[in-house]
Amino acid sequence: MARAWVLPVLAVAWLVAAPTSAQEPRSGSRELPPGVFDAIPQDAATVEINLSGAMLRLVAAAAEVEEPEFAALVRGLERVQVRFAEDVDPELGPTLLEGVELAAESLRRAGWTQQVSIREGSERVMVFGREEAGRLTGLTILFVEESEAGVVHLVGEVDPDRLGVLTQGLALPDLGLDVGGGSDVEPDPEDRP
Amino acid sequence: MPFDETNCDQVDERVEAWLDGELPAEEAARLERHADGCPRCADAMAWARTVRDELRSLPTYPAPPRVARPALAAARATASDNRRRLGRLRALAAAAVLVVLLATALLVSGLGREVPAPEVARAEAEVRLALALVGRVQRRTAAEVRREVLTGGVGDPLRAASEAMTAKGDER
């Protein structure tokens, strides 16, 4: 009788823990399988970006007045990760190609849908998508070109039409970024870009 | 309790305030109108005025130092406390105004994008870079699809079929 409180406490603990454990596979499914960003060796990367919720909401708020379409797109995003290498040493080409192929394979195994695949000589462009309830909630791009290579990962509501319109006129901005220059929280070692 | 000028007890209660000019003008006028028709209250008011005038006419004497010093010290301490309290209140008010101004400036700079916080500006540039990379891949993909349709596996058979039909037409 003295231990009568144990069962209610366990029941409450289970009720509190249950929603969390139920959500894990769903949110986890949008994340990349480990090692995808390793397609681009870290010492070759010139830009690394890792932005998540809070900072993306600040960016959206800052752009709200002048660029509502851009703000709406950013507001739908939960995470933006990039590893990008410019002026790649030509000797690194085979390593990059192998890395991208391995990353693509692990994405396929994790259930990502391959939407685009361009193989042209030593160049590769692959686009993978993740859908939930008929909506695109994740987009991962792997590319190796003549002197550049990159992995781009967007998590959240990615509206392809809006994305297409907005990215039409975007040229690559010069960020003056240092490697490892993510502005936001430190990523988990497993999904670091 | 609302002033009832027909109630002499209420008039008595207000005579001192009337004498010191502390009654509202409308209430003072009603009290004076009542006194015009009520000898008892007129006497009470006249007596109160006499007492006040008598008190004011009394000679004044300097207070002995043993009484004045502690009284002055207590008064100064009270005044000093009040000044400190007032100073603290002013400092708090100034801090509150500063916080409001800073918050407003941050809000305006955040929403109006005049001077965005460096971290947010940097994050915005990073998002633009990510989207630019996505856009570049989209363009590359579209170009590849166009090339494939127009000149590659889809276009060539169509062109061949069209040429064959044209050749047949010529033969006829």
Side-chain angles (χ1 to χ4, degrees):
Chain A
M1 197 63 184
R3 301 275 170 90
W5 55 271
V6 172
L7 275 179
V9 167
L10 284 177
V12 169
W14 180 80
L15 283 172
V16 169
T20 309
S21 57
Q23 283 168 7
E24 274 168 6
R26 187 167 176 272
S27 63
S29 67
R30 295 178 180 183
E31 299 299 331
L32 292 179
V36 168
F37 280 98
D38 293 336
I40 314 294
Q42 193 163 26
D43 54 2
T46 50
V47 173
E48 287 197 85
I49 294 169
N50 185 36
L51 300 168
S52 56
M55 186 56 85
L56 289 169
R57 282 193 292 278
L58 281 175
V59 170
E64 186 67 65
V65 174
E66 291 185 7
E67 294 177 86
E69 280 288 305
F70 173 75
L73 176 73
V74 176
R75 200 177 299 111
L77 297 176
E78 293 164 22
R79 177 172 277 196
V80 173
Q81 290 173 289
V82 174
R83 182 176 283 184
F84 180 51
E86 297 164 289
D87 301 324
V88 175
D89 183 349
E91 287 184 8
L92 204 58
T95 309
L96 291 172
L97 282 178
E98 189 186 354
V100 163
E101 295 290 356
L102 283 172
E105 185 51 37
S106 65
L107 281 167
R108 282 184 213 107
R109 275 202 307 270
W112 285 71
T113 308
Q114 183 157 4
Q115 295 172 333
V116 172
S117 175
I118 299 174
R119 294 162 183 272
E120 201 174 271
S122 59
E123 295 191 349
R124 298 284 184 279
V125 177
M126 299 185 202
V127 179
F128 289 85
R130 167 72 77 176
E131 284 188 15
E132 282 176 40
R135 292 157 77 181
L136 193 61
T137 56
L139 186 73
T140 302
I141 291 173
L142 309 167
F143 64 92
V144 178
E145 295 176 336
E146 197 177 345
S147 61
E148 293 178 343
V151 178
V152 180
H153 178 51
L154 306 180
V155 180
E157 284 196 21
V158 184
D159 180 345
D161 294 335
R162 186 175 270 155
L163 194 63
V165 170
L166 276 173
T167 57
Q168 277 299 314
L170 280 177
L172 285 183
D174 179 13
L175 294 182
L177 293 174
D178 298 325
V179 174
S183 305
D184 214 348
V185 293
E186 195 65 29
D188 293 337
E190 288 199 347
D191 63 8
R192 73 189 188 281
Chain B
M1 181 171 40
F3 176 43
D4 175 10
E5 70 266 30
T6 60
N7 184 332
C8 293
D9 289 338
Q10 285 191 29
V11 171
D12 282 345
E13 286 166 10
R14 284 169 173 76
V15 168
E16 289 298 326
W18 166 78
L19 204 56
D20 293 337
E22 291 169 2
L23 276 188
E26 184 262 346
E27 213 168 299
R30 283 163 61 195
L31 188 140
E32 284 159 12
R33 272 200 304 276
H34 170 80
D36 287 343
C38 174
R40 174 195 170 278
C41 288
D43 280 351
M45 288 163 70
W47 176 243
R49 185 181 282 125
T50 303
V51 170
R52 185 195 65 182
D53 293 345
E54 290 289 334
L55 285 172
R56 283 184 176 170
S57 67
L58 288 173
T60 57
Y61 300 96
R66 65 188 170 80
V67 174
R69 270 199 213 108
L72 280 173
R76 283 186 188 125
T78 304
S80 175
D81 275 357
N82 287 342
R83 270 198 303 274
R84 268 201 297 275
R85 251 183 241 129
L86 192 63
R88 277 200 294 271
L89 279 175
R90 279 181 182 153
L92 277 174
V97 167
L98 196 62
V99 165
V100 168
L101 285 176
L102 278 173
T104 307
L106 281 174
L107 194 67
V108 166
S109 69
L111 294 179
R113 302 186 66 221
E114 292 297 325
V115 189
E119 294 81 6
V120 178
R122 180 190 169 105
E124 185 181 325
E126 289 175 345
V127 172
R128 286 182 193 282
L129 183 136
L131 295 181
L133 288 173
V134 172
R136 203 168 71 174
V137 167
Q138 279 182 328
R139 285 192 291 278
R140 172 77 194 271
T141 305
E144 197 67 24
V145 169
R146 271 199 303 274
R147 201 177 66 178
E148 195 67 25
V149 168
L150 296 175
T151 66
V154 180
D156 283 350
L158 281 177
R159 191 180 302 113
S162 169
E163 283 168 3
M165 286 174 72
T166 309
K168 276 183 184 173
D170 289 347
E171 283 172 13
R172 281 175 196 158

